[in-house]
Structures are given as structure tokens and as C-alpha cells.
Amino acid sequence: MSHDYPNIAKELLESLGGRDNIEQAAHCVTRLRLALKNPALVNVAALNGVDLVKGSFFTGGLYQVVIGPGDVEKVYAELRQQTGLAASTIADVKQKSAEKINAMQRLVRVFSDVFMPILPALIIAGLLMGINNLLGAKGMFIEGQTLLDAYPNLDGLWSLINLMANTSFVFLPALVGWSAAKRFGGSEILGIVLGLMLVHPDLLNAWNYGKAVAGLDGQSLPYFDIFGWFKIEKVGYQGQILPILLAAYVMSVIEKWLRARVPNAIQLLVVPITTIVVTGVLALAIIGPVTRHLGILITEGVVTLFDLAPMLGGAIFGLLYAPLVITGMHHMFLAVDLQLISTQGGTFIWPMIVMSNLAQGSAALAVFYMTRNARDKSMASTSAISAYFGITEPAMFGVNLRFKFPFYAALVGSALGSIFLSLNKVQASAIGVGGLPGFISIVPQSISMFVIGMVIAIVVPFVLTCALSMKIVRPGYRVA
């Protein structure tokens, strides 16, 4: 179906308060991100009535217009052509609106800016790791055997996929180092070097750290002995987030300080080597050990909560995750997921995120089934499909929040599905697609329980939304 993108962009401009009200504009997968001079000038009713617009909201100092995958790029291109705005990244627009948000929102924004660029690499790695888990799962397809046992010729393919899957996680600090250095204004290549330094093969593998501390298998902690009076643990930080995140921030501060003071003629000689040496020592001697223990405390606290009160933990997460998506604070959970995978071998957070996404999709699907309004039906169907594959914004903002009761039904379904997963200790070995294909990334022995959770998260919101739509009289709905 073709759309009149020039006219859509024109109507958007008018409803947003005109060209002069837009300072900067960017877009993500589904949304326009706008820095406005005066958000009060926006005509919300007119904006939400524009073709393709599935909803709009103001959060974190930015006005966001939900359009959907694919279309958002074309609308953005047309918007730029009509306004003459320069191309901007999301980081540029966020920086423009930084003075309008509080400290907590700034912290969340940092996590979002750092992790969103590397998310595709993590999802691909998670899917490949999930496929490998299925190949190596005993009894999954053949009684008492793995596929590798039954078909030895698959071993080479398994090893190749395993190599591809592990790369993103083994060198995760390098990915984070690149993205964080870019976010903090430092040199991206130095961020990569710093990240690779923290996983150098000369360092003790982070996954053997516990054994070395406990003295198991004859292992002990190795050290860099500096002049006989100062020792630095010779330990790597594979799969960990906090050490490289803070180290990249420190590196960027040091580099920018040096660039402002070192003469241009010798900057290339002085700045990189000084930055890496100083930051490297700080990272291995102070930042790494401190943040590693902080990360352990965070994960132990989360694990303890879900161990002591799995029903309460699942209910709280299931109810709050979708509202957190509205604020953008959900990006913080990616760091928790990666920390859990690094220290516990799996995460129970990500499977519950899938429950929330599926629940939002099913609520939108119920709206598609119940409504008689052609525009709502079209929007609900496409939004439901999008949510079933992990992109929930069109369903949430374009359908569920607009009618309210589908959103509440989705929260109930998400909470019930999350409670079921939490009680059965379902874990994912990696981060994958947060929707129907999500079972691929689940630990094989938990797949059956995960599928039951998926059924709960799909059926409950659909039934609740249909039931509520027959009790609440709304134009365009079938009323019993």
C-alpha cells in the first residue's frame, strides 16, 4: 500500500507547531525523535489523526511520534526536505534536549545510547547460540541423544556456529568500548583498544575468576607485580559491562582534557599513548575490580529477590516493563541481562520481556478482531504482527494506550506469564528476538515451560480485551 509521504510530512509539520518549532529531528526503527522549542504548541489531536501516525508522546525532553518500521525513514526524509533540517542522529537530538531532563533520565539515556547500536550484534549472537543449544540438547529431538550424537557430521557445523555465536560475547567489552567512547565524545578506536585490552588472552579468563579466588583446580589469582610494591590482578572482564562502561567514560574525559591542552603538532604522538596507558592502569587496578564486585552485588540482589519471592518478582516485572518502555527506562535491563549471563550463565529477565511484548501484541490483535473501524483494524493488525516479533511501540502507542483497556489487559497477561516463568526458573542463554522466535534463545530444558508462558501471555490479553470491549461501550466496537 502506497502512502502520500509529502502530504503526511506536511500535516506533521502543521500539527507540530510549524517549521520554526522544530530544532532537530532524527528517527529510530519506529519513531521520529524531535527536539521542539515549545512542546505546548503541538496539536495532539491533529497529530494523532495524521495517516501512519500510531501515537505520540513527550518524554525525556523529546517529542516522539510513532510511525512504524520502514515508513518512518520515508516520512523523516520528506520532513527534512520540507524543512531544510540537517541530518541528525538520535544522540544529537538527545544532546539538544539534555537540559530538559533530570539526572535519572540522563543515566537511562546513557544506557540507551551505548547499547542500542550494538543490539543487532547481540541479537544475532543470541539466535546463533540458541540454535547451537538446540543441536546440543540431549533428548530434545531424539530420545536419550543429542543431534550431534545421532549425526556426528553436524559437529563441524556446530563448531562453526558456536564460533560465530560466541564472538559478540567474548569481545563484548570491545563493542561496548566503541559505542561508549562514541557516546562520551572520545576516540572510538581507543574505545575498541581499551575493550580488547580487558579481554586480552594474557589475562585470566573472567569465567575462571571464581575458581582462582577459591583455589579450585590448583588455580590462583595471577598478578602484575609493579616494582615489587604494587600488584594488579591479571584478570580479564569477558562478557562484563560495567568495567568497560566506566573505563570508557574515564578514557574519554582524559582524552578530551589532553586534546584541549596538547599542541596540535604532537597530539597524535602524545594523546593516544597517554590516554591508553593511564586509562589501562586505572581500568585494571581500580575500575575493573570495583565494578566487577558491584556487578556481582547487583546480580546477586536481583537473583535473591526472584529466589525468595518468584511470584512477586514476576508480577512486578510483568506489570512494570511496558510502562517503563514508555519512559525509555527499559534499556537499563539490557545491562542486567548481560551481567546475569556473564555471572550466572543465563538470564531470567529477558524471557519475561518476551512475555510483555507478546501480551501487547495480543491485545492489539484483539482490537483488530473486535473493531469495525477500518483504520483501527488496519493499524491493529500491523501493530500486532510487529509486537509478535519484538517491536511493541506501534501496538502500545497506536492501539493499546489509545483505548486504554487493551493496555491494562496486556499488563495482566504479561504479569501472569512472567509469574509462570519465574516460578519455573526459565532462563535464556543469550538475548534473542523478543517475540515469537524467542524460544530459540531459551535454555533447552526450559523451552516447554517457556512455550506455556507464551501461551498465557498471548491468550489472556486477547480474551480480556475482547471481554472488556463488550462491556465498555466504544464507537466502532462490537457490543454484546
Side-chain angles (χ1 to χ4, degrees), residues 118-138:
I118 66 174
L119 192 55
L122 299 179
I123 291 176
I124 291 170
L127 290 175
L128 290 173
M129 191 173 293
I131 293 171
N132 255 23
N133 289 340
L134 294 177
L135 290 174
K138 192 172 185 178

Side-chain angles (χ1 to χ4, degrees), residues 4-216:
D4 186 357
Y5 295 109
N7 190 56
I8 291 172
K10 180 182 177 183
E11 292 180 4
L12 277 174
L13 270 177
E14 292 173 355
S15 58
L16 288 168
R19 163 65 181 90
D20 293 338
N21 196 36
I22 302 177
E23 293 182 306
Q24 280 186 320
H27 73 88
C28 61
V29 177
T30 60
R31 290 176 260 174
L32 291 175
R33 310 287 188 99
L34 307 166
L36 303 181
K37 293 178 181 177
N38 185 2
L41 295 179
V42 176
N43 185 334
V44 178
L47 177 61
N48 291 336
V50 175
D51 186 27
L52 290 181
V53 173
K54 298 175 174 65
S56 61
F57 59 100
F58 182 77
T59 183
L62 294 178
Y63 208 92
Q64 305 193 27
V65 182
V66 183
I67 292 177
D71 289 323
V72 70
E73 297 176 8
K74 297 174 183 177
V75 173
Y76 175 71
E78 193 61 43
L79 195 66
R80 280 191 54 219
Q81 184 173 338
Q82 293 186 21
T83 59
L85 286 169
S88 300
T89 64
I90 293 177
D92 293 332
V93 179
K94 287 181 175 179
Q95 185 66 34
K96 188 71 175 178
S97 63
E99 66 273 8
K100 303 174 185 177
I101 61 176
N102 58 40
M104 184 61 184
Q105 289 173 318
R106 289 193 186 97
L107 177 62
V108 172
R109 178 170 291 181
V110 168
F111 279 92
S112 173
D113 291 345
V114 171
F115 290 119
M116 287 304 291
I118 66 174
L119 192 55
L122 299 179
I123 291 176
I124 291 170
L127 290 175
L128 290 173
M129 191 173 293
I131 293 171
N132 255 23
N133 289 340
L134 294 177
L135 290 174
K138 192 172 185 178
M140 176 63 67
F141 302 102
I142 302 172
E143 184 67 30
Q145 287 185 304
T146 68
L147 286 177
L148 296 175
D149 294 332
Y151 304 100
N153 289 337
L154 288 175
D155 185 66
L157 177 63
W158 182 87
S159 298
L160 179 61
I161 295 175
N162 193 53
L163 172 69
M164 295 176 181
N166 284 332
T167 298
S168 292
F169 291 104
V170 170
F171 297 104
L172 182 61
L175 298 178
V176 176
W178 162 77
S179 188
K182 182 178 181 180
R183 169 61 178 79
F184 298 132
S187 169
E188 296 162 34
I189 191 64
L190 293 185
I192 295 174
V193 171
L194 184 61
L196 291 173
M197 182 190 305
L198 295 183
V199 294
H200 195 284
D202 284 353
L203 302 176
L204 176 69
N205 192 297
W207 289 295
N208 293 323
Y209 176 78
K211 292 181 180 179
V213 171
L216 301 177

